[in-house]
């Protein structure tokens, strides 16, 4: 790179200032220096290119959502299977847009391998309409947050009173006393409308928290509001579940009544997602000795923003045979009014004390409803505690049903059994008319 150096070198060779060996050595040296510069440039290019790819790997797809039904849908859940998109990279963030408007969404890791399995968001759809969304998936992490419309928590009790440790999973031998291990006795989750908790014991029952006003309360009240919070208008426990299925808890069936989920080798709970769009909570058992088999089962509860109904997925690691289970709704106070369409929908409306303290607390009036797709139904049944359907799913590893509730103290709810039962029928129709989702990569 020195001006005139190559010309002086050529003149020196012509004038005989270097012999043949010296000239060869000089040429070899020049070649080595040139190749080193070239190699460094190549390595720099490759490194910068790989870094650029690692930071900017993206894939954009178009999602078309159609509502074929004659009725509008509000906060309709839209779920996209990430694996089906074949991105070629690990998806760590996503942006969902309708036109130029960004839609709150979330990525969920369902099996704890630290890789996203599903993308979820909710949308409003007028009757017989469609919307187009643009999804941009990226390998880059993001610190972006959206306003929370749902909340969930698992809290471990500690040696200090009123101090808790946040957790995501807990397991124990099936014969352990697990009811008091967790605050609020199990995972609690809520939308703006309602809150649930799942008992961490052989009942696995969903207990219910009704609200006066829409909003998120569980992080502050921890399912047990103080007197000051009650005066401010916080909600509270609204049902005494006793030995029932509460709202839509899956139970065993012995031919005449519902049974607890026992004996089991291990029992656990997992908090998979806590918002901002949906919560996902698992109640799991391994080695459930049931009807001559040993079953490994997960009951997965998903609650979406704007919803009072929870989606229940029952998952097994092996196909079922002829095992029969049951679910339905509690016979509240043993004197509830019951409704059934005899094709998978059962509901109840009744009044009872929600806790044993009848001085501080008053009776609560609650409406419950559970819907099971017809193909899983075997027969209608009831026992002292419940109005039920027996269900089975031969040769299948999973089945899905739905459950919901209302408290009459809701300022946004239902005043009587007739309006509740009517709403339950419309709810079933809506579930049977799902939106059509088309993905254009």
């Amino acid at each position: 790179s020195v001006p005139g150096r190559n010309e002086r070198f050529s003149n020196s060779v012509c004038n005989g200032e270097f012999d043949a060996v010296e000239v060869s050595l000089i040429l070899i040296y020049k070649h080595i220096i040139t190749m080193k510069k070239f190699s460094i440039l190549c390595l720099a290019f490759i490194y910068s290119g790989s870094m650029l790819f690692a930071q900017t790997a993206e894939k954009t797809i178009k999602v078309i959502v159609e509502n074929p039904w004659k009725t509008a849908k509000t906060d309709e859940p839209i779920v996209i299977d990430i694996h089906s998109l074949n991105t070629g990279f690990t998806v760590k963030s996503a942006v969902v847009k309708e036109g130029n408007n960004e839609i709150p969404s979330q990525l969920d890791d369902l099996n704890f391998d630290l890789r996203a399995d599903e993308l979820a968001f909710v949308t409003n759809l007028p009757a017989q309409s469609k919307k187009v969304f643009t999804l941009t998936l990226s390998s880059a992490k993001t610190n972006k947050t959206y306003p929370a419309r749902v909340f969930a928590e698992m809290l471990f009790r500690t040696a200090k009173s009123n101090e808790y440790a946040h957790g995501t999973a807990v397991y124990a031998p099936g014969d352990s006393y697990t009811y008091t291990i967790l605050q609020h006795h199990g995972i609690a989750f809520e939308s703006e409308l309602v809150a649930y908790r799942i008992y961490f014991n052989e009942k696995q029952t969903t207990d219910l928290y009704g609200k006066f006003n829409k909003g998120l309360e569980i992080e502050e009240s921890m399912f047990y509001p103080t007197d000051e919070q009650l005066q401010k208008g916080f909600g509270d426990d609204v049902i005494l579940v006793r030995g029932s299925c509460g709202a839509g808890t899956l139970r065993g069936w012995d031919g005449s009544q519902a049974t607890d989920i026992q004996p089991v080798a291990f029992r656990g709970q997992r908090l998979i997602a806590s918002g901002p769009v949906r919560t996902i909570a698992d109640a799991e058992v391994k080695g459930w000795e049931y009807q001559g088999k040993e079953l490994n089962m997960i009951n997965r509860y998903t609650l979406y923003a704007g919803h009072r109904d929870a989606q229940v997925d029952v998952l097994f690691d092996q196909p079922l045979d002829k095992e029969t289970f049951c679910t339905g709704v509690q016979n509240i106070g043993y004197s509830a009014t019951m409704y059934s369409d005899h094709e998978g929908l059962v509901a109840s409306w009744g009044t009872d004390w929600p806790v044993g303290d009848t001085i501080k607390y008053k009776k609560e009036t609650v409406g419950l409803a559970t819907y099971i797709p017809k193909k899983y139904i075997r027969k209608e049944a009831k026992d002292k505690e419940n109005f039920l359907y027996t269900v089975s799913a031969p040769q299948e590893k999973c089945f899905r049903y739905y459950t919901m509730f209302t408290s009459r103290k809701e300022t946004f709810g239902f005043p009587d059994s007739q309006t509740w039962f009517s709403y339950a029928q419309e709810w079933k129709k809506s579930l049977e008319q799902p939106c059509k989702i088309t993905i254009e990569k």
Side-chain angles (χ1 to χ4, degrees):
S1 63
V2 178
R5 185 182 66 178
N6 290 338
E7 183 180 351
R8 291 197 301 273
F9 171 72
S10 299
N11 293 335
S12 298
V13 172
C14 292
N15 295 332
E17 296 179 14
F18 300 111
D19 60 25
V21 173
E22 290 172 323
V23 170
S24 298
L25 290 173
I26 290 170
L27 291 173
I28 291 171
Y29 173 75
K30 285 170 63 65
H31 178 72
I32 291 172
I33 295 299
T34 302
M35 291 304 295
K36 287 178 72 175
K37 289 180 180 178
F38 178 74
S39 299
I40 291 171
L41 285 171
C42 288
L43 289 173
F45 176 76
I46 293 170
Y47 176 75
S48 62
S50 63
M51 289 299 292
L52 180 64
F53 176 79
Q55 293 174 0
T56 61
E58 289 185 349
K59 185 168 187 174
T60 300
I61 63 172
K62 183 166 70 173
V63 176
I64 302 171
V65 181
E66 300 175 74
N67 175 17
W69 201 34
K70 61 182 180 181
T71 304
K73 288 178 175 285
T74 303
D75 289 319
E76 179 72 5
I78 308 300
V79 180
I80 307 297
D81 178 8
I82 296 296
H83 303 294
S84 69
L85 304 179
N86 299 317
T87 61
F89 57 86
T90 299
V91 176
K92 296 183 179 179
S93 63
V95 174
V96 179
K97 287 188 175 182
E98 181 188 351
N100 294 323
N101 297 322
E102 186 169 346
I103 307 297
S105 62
Q106 70 185 63
L107 290 167
D108 292 322
D109 170 18
L110 302 182
N111 57 2
F112 284 88
D113 65 355
L114 303 183
R115 290 175 172 81
D117 298 301
E118 291 182 348
L119 171 76
F121 62 97
V122 296
T123 187
N124 299 332
L125 289 155
Q128 297 179 329
S129 68
K130 73 176 181 179
K131 288 186 175 182
V132 178
F133 300 91
T134 300
L135 276 56
T136 302
L137 308 173
S138 174
S139 63
K141 293 183 178 180
T142 181
N143 294 322
K144 181 182 296 185
T145 59
Y146 300 106
R149 297 185 59 195
V150 294
F151 175 76
E153 67 181 5
M154 172 186 282
L155 295 176
F156 294 101
R157 299 179 185 273
T158 67
K160 296 183 179 180
S161 178
N162 297 321
E163 288 191 15
Y164 307 95
H166 288 268
T168 55
V170 59
Y171 290 84
D175 58 357
S176 300
Y177 182 73
T178 53
Y179 183 70
T180 56
I181 290 175
L182 300 175
Q183 170 66 0
H184 36 67
H185 305 299
I187 293 175
F189 53 96
E190 67 174 331
S191 68
E192 305 101 321
L193 285 71
V194 293
Y196 298 78
R197 62 177 170 182
I198 310 170
Y199 282 140
F200 185 32
N201 63 3
E202 67 280 357
K203 293 181 180 180
Q204 297 191 179
T205 313
T206 54
D207 197 14
L208 313 175
Y209 179 108
K211 302 181 182 185
F212 285 98
N213 305 299
K214 291 183 180 181
L216 302 180
E217 301 181 6
I218 297 302
E219 185 173 17
E220 187 174 349
S221 73
M222 295 193 294
F223 218 92
Y224 301 107
T226 63
D227 291 342
E228 292 76 13
Q229 289 170 336
L230 290 172
Q231 291 175 3
K232 291 179 181 178
F234 272 58
D236 202 357
D237 191 342
V238 293
I239 194 168
L240 185 63
V241 298
R242 297 187 176 91
S244 75
C245 68
T249 306
L250 189 80
R251 309 297 296 274
W253 178 252
D254 69 1
S256 61
Q257 63 182 356
T259 63
D260 291 338
I261 310 299
Q262 64 175 353
V264 301
F266 293 94
R267 189 182 312 280
Q269 289 194 354
R270 294 190 301 169
L271 177 57
I272 295 176
S274 57
V277 173
R278 67 177 180 177
T279 67
I280 306 175
D282 282 358
E284 182 175 3
V285 291
K286 292 183 179 294
W288 179 20
E289 297 176 17
Y290 185 67
Q291 295 184 356
K293 302 290 181 62
E294 283 194 359
L295 304 179
N296 296 333
M297 178 181 72
I298 294 174
N299 293 343
R300 177 165 293 169
Y301 293 85
T302 304
L303 179 64
Y304 286 92
H307 282 245
R308 64 172 67 250
D309 59 325
Q311 171 185 299
V312 188
D313 291 292
V314 186
L315 313 172
F316 300 88
D317 63 342
Q318 299 292 331
L320 291 168
D321 190 11
K322 297 179 181 179
E323 298 87 352
T324 300
F325 312 94
C326 69
T327 189
V329 293
Q330 182 183 13
N331 179 6
I332 305 159
Y334 304 120
S335 58
T337 303
M338 189 269 281
Y339 168 82
S340 171
D341 71 352
H342 313 298
E343 293 186 340
L345 176 64
V346 62
S348 63
W349 178 277
T351 303
D352 194 13
W353 301 102
V355 294
D357 186 346
T358 60
I359 304 299
K360 180 179 178 180
Y361 298 91
K362 63 180 181 179
K363 285 187 175 182
E364 297 279 359
T365 299
V366 174
L368 312 175
T370 296
Y371 163 62
I372 309 104
K374 190 174 181 179
K375 65 179 180 178
Y376 301 125
I377 296 169
R378 295 301 166 258
K379 67 176 183 177
E380 288 189 75
K382 65 178 181 178
D383 58 20
K384 179 182 178 181
E385 300 274 1
N386 308 286
F387 305 118
L388 303 163
Y389 284 100
T390 62
V391 298
S392 64
Q395 308 309 312
E396 296 190 36
K397 294 174 65 175
C398 62
F399 59 91
R400 173 178 294 177
Y401 64 95
Y402 302 84
T403 191
M404 66 173 180
F405 79 94
T406 183
S407 168
R408 195 169 62 179
K409 66 185 177 186
E410 295 171 354
T411 57
F412 50 89
F414 306 87
D416 52 44
S417 61
Q418 289 76 19
T419 53
W420 174 243
F421 295 155
S422 177
Y423 175 77
Q425 293 170 65
E426 291 302 311
W427 169 63
K428 175 187 173 181
K429 291 177 183 177
S430 180
L431 291 171
E432 291 180 335
Q433 297 288 334
C435 286
K436 179 183 177 181
I437 300 174
T438 304
I439 297 175
E440 295 185 0
K441 299 181 182 179

